Each structure stands twice: as structure tokens, then as C-alpha cells.
Amino acid sequence: MALPRVAVAALGGTICMAPDVQSDGVMPKLSAQQLLDAIPNLGAVAQLEAQTLRQLPSPSLSFDDLLEVLRWADEQVAQGAAGVVVTQGTDTLEESAFLLDLYWPHPQPLVLTGAMRAAEAVSADGPANLRAAVTVAADAGSRTRGVLVVMNDTIHAARWVQKTHALAVDAFTSPGAGPAGAMVEGTPHYFHAPGQRTTLAQPRDAGMRVALLESCLGDDGELLDLAVKAGYQGSVIAAFGVGHVSFAMAKRIGTLAPAYPVVIASRTGAGSTTERTYGFEGSEIDLRRRGAILAGWLGPRKARLLLWALLAAGSATEEIRKAFASFGRMRNL
Ligand code: GLU
């Protein structure tokens, strides 16, 4: 039987980085083909095709870069790929995964991976991560799961994955949900059947800007007004606890929402915002009354991407509210 076809695109990141004399540090250098060539016997897993789309550090990836990845991946599926793999830097990997997942309608898996250690480091993790990612992309059990992240022999759903350590090889976790599966003897094992997924219409205007502002002690909320003045079309507040802000920020939100979309997510890194527990000024009940939208289980970064995608699709406030109710609450997933 012919091996499944897996297309691999490289965007840059530590996985392709090697020492650079001019900068004194590691820099993106290796192509997608070079990454594949470093893995023994990968040709026994899948028929491979490699394309280097970018060689960027992931903090400088843009929405346009990711929309190009999406077009490339769509094309690979149209041409018969059983799955696609994208390598990129780990710094923004969780955001790329979530954004691509919002737009990925295919049953074929789109798998993201990267590395915490540069290509020439002793015990570089890139080759093992890429091998596992290709294996996951080629596996029929990965179908209809949307976008997956494979790092350190662990498979994560884009919906949940976060980079939760700056340096560790096991930097990626799925707080609140746990991983979707694990690699065992080179084979993906999934812990649950695929869930229901909703995808969005592709952006009409990719030039949207959504601000992400973190609440912190003594916050006067002025940055929110500055974001509006600077032309950001929506804002996400990484709020305290279950979705709380200061009195001052609550007042500013009250004068802006609902005419201007303000989404409240929890800055804690895990857990959901609540809807009907606290009643003080700046609490989730107060902010809802003032017209803010609560992000539920979506953390601030994912909430920002969802708001961006909704605004970019031309969604009105009521549609934005409905979309957050469905993406943000487990009971509606
Ligand atoms: N640790 C990051 C990486 O994995 C640094 C650079 C980047 O994100 O591109 O790739």
C-alpha cells in the first residue's frame, strides 16, 4: 500500500536555528528539506514534500504569514495530502495553532511543531518533534481533530494548548483540559474521540487590530482609551481571576461597550471566567451589564484571535457575543 502523503512547511523558529557569527546567537538557517533530511528513515512513515515558506523568528510572524500558510495547506489537501505539518518558533506557536484551527475545515490534520533547543544543540528536540508531527499527520486517527500541536511526544488540541514554560523541553501543556493524546512507540494514541468543531469564514479584512491589555494592581484603565484612540477595532482585557477589573477600568468599559467590542478573559492561565458569582463594581456581573463579552474558557491570547477573526469576517456585536458564548463555554462545544 502506498504511504500517505504529508506536506511539510517551515516558517522558521528555533527548530531551524543554528549559530550565527554576526549576531552572536542562533538564527533561522535551515530549510524545510534540511529539517526532514536530519531525521533517519522518515521516508518509511510518509511520502514527504517540503516547502520553506518563511525563515522567521516566531515573534515576527504576521496574520498575513499565517493566512498564506492556510492557503498553502488548503492546496496540499486539494492535491491529496493525508495531512500537513508546519514547523515554526514556539514563542507564538499556540497562537498560530488556534488561529489556523478557526479556519481549518478539512478532516485531514494540520499539525504544528517546533523545538525548544536549536538544531545544533546537544539533545536538540526538533528532529524527534518533527518525526512525531509527521507521524501524527499521516495517521488516520488524527482525522477530524482540526489543528494539533505535537511537542515532546505529546499531542495537544489547538483549542487548549499553551506554552507554559520559557525553556523546558516540555514547555507545552493544555491547562484545564489535558493533552489530546501521546506518542507511544512511534504511534499516536488519543485519549478521547474527536469533538465537535466550528470553523469561521475566511477574513475579508486582514488589517484588523485587536489590543490585548492586562489588568494589574493600581490599573487606571487608561490604556483601553488609548487603544481606542489608536484605532484598534476591539480590545481584550486579560482580567483578574474569573474576569474582574478595577473600578476605573469598569467605568471606561461602560462608556465604550457595547458599541466597541471589549472581551474579558482571565489572566490566570487556566480556568474559565464566570457569569453570575460576583456583584461588585468591576466584577463579571457588572461588566456583562456594561456590555462587555466574557471569554469563558478562552485565555486572553486565544480570545484576541477569535475577536480578530470575527471582526475580520465583518461580524456585528451580536454575532461576536454568540461566537464567544459558543467557543468560550465548554457546555456548548
Ligand atoms: N523558543 C523560541 C522557538 O522555539 C524562540 C524563537 C521563536 O519562537 O521563533 O523557536
Side-chain angles (χ1 to χ4, degrees):
M1 209 176 70
L3 286 173
R5 194 162 84 73
V6 173
V8 179
L11 296 181
T14 298
I15 191 167
C16 80
M17 291 196 195
D20 175 75
V21 182
Q22 264 176 2
S23 69
D24 281 340
V26 292
M27 292 275 280
K29 300 232 182 230
L30 304 180
S31 66
Q33 191 58 54
Q34 285 172 307
L35 295 180
L36 294 176
D37 289 345
I39 306 171
N41 269 335
L42 195 59
V45 176
Q47 299 176 58
L48 296 160
E49 267 161 58
Q51 185 139 1
T52 306
L53 293 178
R54 298 283 186 277
Q55 278 198 320
L56 288 171
S58 76
S60 291
L61 284 171
S62 66
F63 285 106
D64 284 330
D65 291 328
L66 291 167
L67 293 173
E68 191 179 324
V69 170
L70 199 63
R71 281 192 290 277
W72 168 85
D74 277 339
E75 224 173 272
Q76 303 312 308
V77 166
Q79 288 168 13
V84 292
V85 172
V86 176
T87 64
Q88 72 148 81
T90 58
D91 286 353
T92 60
L93 197 144
E94 67 188 85
E95 287 166 82
S96 300
F98 185 74
L99 186 76
L100 293 171
D101 194 49
L102 290 177
Y103 294 127
W104 188 246
H106 308 290
Q108 290 86 345
L110 193 169
V111 184
L112 270 73
T113 193
M116 295 302 292
R117 295 179 181 152
E120 289 179 17
V122 173
S123 287
D125 53 333
N129 287 342
L130 183 50
R131 186 187 176 84
V134 167
T135 308
V136 166
D139 194 281
S142 306
R143 289 173 66 87
T144 70
R145 293 180 186 272
V147 175
L148 299 167
V149 169
V150 176
M151 292 287 293
N152 195 40
D153 274 344
T154 310
I155 308 166
H156 299 272
R159 169 72 178 72
W160 293 106
V161 70
Q162 288 180 45
K163 185 176 183 181
T164 50
H165 197 289
L167 291 164
V169 171
D170 64 346
F172 284 79
T173 58
S174 293
M183 297 299 291
V184 179
E185 298 176 313
T187 304
H189 288 206
Y190 287 99
F191 303 147
H192 312 284
Q196 227 184 313
R197 298 179 58 239
T198 312
T199 52
L200 300 180
Q202 296 249 349
R204 278 196 277 174
D205 174 4
M208 285 289 155
R209 293 191 307 158
V210 174
L212 172 52
L213 309 169
E214 180 159 314
S215 286
C216 42
L217 187 72
D219 191 4
D220 63 10
E222 193 185 355
L223 284 176
L224 178 58
D225 286 349
L226 293 176
V228 178
K229 278 199 197 107
Y232 285 81
Q233 286 92 346
S235 289
V236 173
I237 314 288
F240 302 111
V242 291
H244 299 159
V245 301
S246 63
F247 296 158
M249 177 62 104
K251 279 198 186 75
R252 289 183 198 260
I253 290 172
T255 61
L256 292 169
Y260 175 86
V262 179
V263 174
I264 307 293
S266 173
R267 67 172 198 168
T268 59
S272 172
T273 54
T274 53
E275 290 181 357
R276 48 178 178 269
T277 302
Y278 292 92
F280 59 81
E281 196 178 345
S283 70
E284 77 281 11
I285 291 177
D286 177 50
L287 294 177
R288 278 181 86 196
R289 284 194 185 130
R290 291 177 194 263
I293 298 165
L294 292 159
W297 286 89
L298 291 177
R301 288 168 221 144
K302 291 186 170 78
R304 171 179 169 268
L305 293 171
L306 179 58
L307 182 55
W308 181 89
L310 293 165
L311 290 170
S315 304
T317 309
E318 244 350 88
E319 290 170 83
I320 294 174
R321 202 175 289 286
K322 276 195 194 132
F324 271 93
S326 122
F327 278 89
R329 290 185 211 165
M330 282 305 292
R331 61 196 152 107
N332 289 344
L333 284 178

